[in-house]
Amino acid sequence: MMATKLATTARHLNACRGPVRHRDRLPPLVLLTDRARLPDPCAAARRLPAGSLVILRDGDLGAGARLHLGRALAAVCRRRRLRLLVAGDPALARRLGAAGVHWPERQLPLKVRGFATAAAHGARALVRARRAGVAAALLSPVLPTASHPGAPALGVVRFAGLARRAGLPVYALGGIDEGTAPRLRGSGAAGIAAIGAFRP
């Protein structure tokens, strides 16, 4: 069962953030796929509260395998009333009937179309994301994470400063689980994005 504390903290963060740039309400929780750290993303998605966001990453999969995974996730999302985004591939997003696209930092276009989010790892990327017109940015890594062992983390204080100056909703990603999530209270985060925290 999904960590109750994580969901509760994410809802609190989501309720306390400022005005939303996009007409659609942004969810408190975001699940990102990663077949190395979350081998069964469909099972994890089935445990999410309705309205949560799922981002299909795994861009290194072959086209056929990624399409297969995307179709399975899309079916779960429809049944569970979740929103699906596809990382870096608008054509696949359309094919799956996804809600939009999640743009990796290096692929972010100058202007996005439709509903989109973007990855960011610092202030410059947040500025680019705001100018591109994305609905939200996923800023990482907030804390040390198994996804990028040894990579320097922003820390909660620096994350909070960046999030407050970003001019768009910012999700905390990296090292966030039910134990560390309460540290984000008062940070200005729009919610929590995670991989490992959604493992059973």
Side-chain angles (χ1 to χ4, degrees):
M1 192 169 188
M2 196 192 78
T4 305
K5 191 186 293 186
L6 183 68
T8 300
T9 303
R11 281 193 297 271
H12 175 80
L13 296 172
N14 191 259
C16 292
R17 73 172 190 278
V20 186
R21 284 166 50 90
H22 199 272
R23 66 182 180 274
D24 294 330
R25 178 169 168 75
L26 293 167
L29 280 177
V30 180
L31 179 152
L32 295 92
T33 70
D34 181 324
R35 69 181 187 280
R37 298 191 57 221
L38 193 64
D40 190 352
C42 290
R46 282 191 287 269
R47 294 189 293 271
L48 291 172
S52 296
L53 193 62
V54 177
I55 296 177
L56 170 62
R57 296 192 316 165
D58 295 307
D60 57 341
L61 277 175
R66 196 173 190 221
L67 175 61
H68 179 75
L69 175 58
R71 283 176 170 160
L73 271 175
V76 172
C77 289
R78 283 191 296 273
R79 286 194 300 270
R80 296 282 303 147
R81 291 182 294 128
L82 309 172
R83 294 163 76 187
L84 177 66
L85 299 184
V86 176
D89 192 337
L92 180 57
R94 288 190 296 271
R95 191 168 180 184
L96 295 174
V101 179
H102 172 74
W103 291 103
E105 185 176 323
R106 68 187 179 281
Q107 290 181 252
L108 181 64
L110 291 176
K111 205 71 181 167
V112 301
R113 294 182 179 184
F115 183 81
T117 60
H121 299 89
R124 288 182 184 175
L126 288 172
V127 170
R128 286 183 58 221
R130 178 176 51 78
R131 289 177 178 167
V134 300
L138 279 62
L139 181 59
S140 69
V142 179
L143 300 172
T145 172
S147 292
H148 303 285
L154 296 167
V156 173
V157 172
R158 185 161 178 232
F159 168 85
L162 290 169
R164 290 185 186 121
R165 293 189 299 271
L168 79 167
V170 178
Y171 285 83
L173 171 64
I176 309 300
D177 58 26
E178 67 174 18
T180 59
R183 295 170 59 185
L184 294 168
R185 290 181 184 272
S187 69
I192 294 166
I195 300 167
F198 295 114
R199 284 180 299 197

